[in-house]
Amino acid sequence: MSLRRPSLNRFRIALLAPVAALALGGCGLNSIPTAEENAKARWADVQNEYQRRSDLIPNLVSTVKGYAAQEKDVLEGVTQARANASAIHLSPDDLKDPAKVEAYEKAQNGVTVALNRLQPLQEAYPDLKSNTNFMALQSQLEGTENRITIARRDYNDAVQGYNTRIRTFPDAVGAKLFYGAKPMQTFQATTPDAQTAPAVKF
């Protein structure tokens, strides 16, 4: 009888081990970090596209300045908006801080508004439209604005997936007990014009 009891205990342990593993797996031990890393990767895509736009701005301003130097306020506005946006750095950990995300969004939307102020210049300076460098920059900027819109949408989708996972059973158990997971912030446009990509048609 005493020989049977240890083997019965071993049998119970052997039976319970897979059940425990499944239970832990169902609590989001793997799925929560995977969803979080996916959202962070999508945020990196957003930042890359904003950086691409930022890199185009000095050449665009220089080209416009060659034809419309007297539009000093508009050109300085674009340059200052770019500087303001470049000064704000958002780490993946900051994506859970609403105030930091809002400051980043506001600065980037400021660039969008400043770039939109360049649009009327093509009518005032027709020679600008015939400049091949300007036309190439216009095309690159338009493509970048579209990529920003797509990257923001993909990021928001990834964040929605992560936030849903940490709030719903059974993953919510693991999110609270093992990770202390907090919701990530989606990208919310802070100006009406920022809901869609600007039409960059100079």
Side-chain angles (χ1 to χ4, degrees), residues 152-173:
R152 287 190 317 208
R153 183 199 63 208
D154 291 347
Y155 165 74
N156 282 346
D157 288 347
V159 167
Q160 182 181 13
Y162 168 76
N163 288 347
T164 300
R165 192 170 283 282
I166 67 170
R167 290 176 173 152
T168 53
F169 185 81
D171 289 351
V173 175

Side-chain angles (χ1 to χ4, degrees), residues 57-171:
I57 289 174
N59 288 335
L60 182 66
V61 168
S62 293
T63 302
V64 172
K65 192 182 290 184
Y67 290 86
Q70 58 269 41
E71 303 292 344
K72 186 177 177 186
D73 290 346
V74 174
L75 298 174
E76 285 180 354
V78 173
T79 303
Q80 186 60 51
R82 176 184 182 265
N84 293 343
S86 298
I88 298 177
H89 302 284
L90 205 62
S91 75
D93 291 333
D94 292 333
L95 296 173
K96 296 175 183 176
D97 185 332
K100 289 181 179 178
V101 172
E102 184 180 353
Y104 183 88
E105 292 166 7
K106 187 175 180 182
Q108 293 298 341
N109 289 336
V111 176
T112 301
V113 170
L115 286 171
N116 284 338
R117 290 186 63 206
L118 286 176
Q119 291 181 16
L121 298 185
Q122 69 167 336
E123 301 304 324
Y125 304 94
D127 289 347
L128 189 58
K129 286 193 287 188
S130 63
N131 180 283
T132 54
N133 188 37
F134 180 78
M135 296 304 288
L137 287 167
Q138 171 196 334
S139 177
Q140 291 176 53
L141 188 59
E142 185 176 358
T144 299
E145 291 293 351
N146 290 332
R147 284 192 294 271
I148 287 170
T149 300
I150 292 166
R152 287 190 317 208
R153 183 199 63 208
D154 291 347
Y155 165 74
N156 282 346
D157 288 347
V159 167
Q160 182 181 13
Y162 168 76
N163 288 347
T164 300
R165 192 170 283 282
I166 67 170
R167 290 176 173 152
T168 53
F169 185 81
D171 289 351

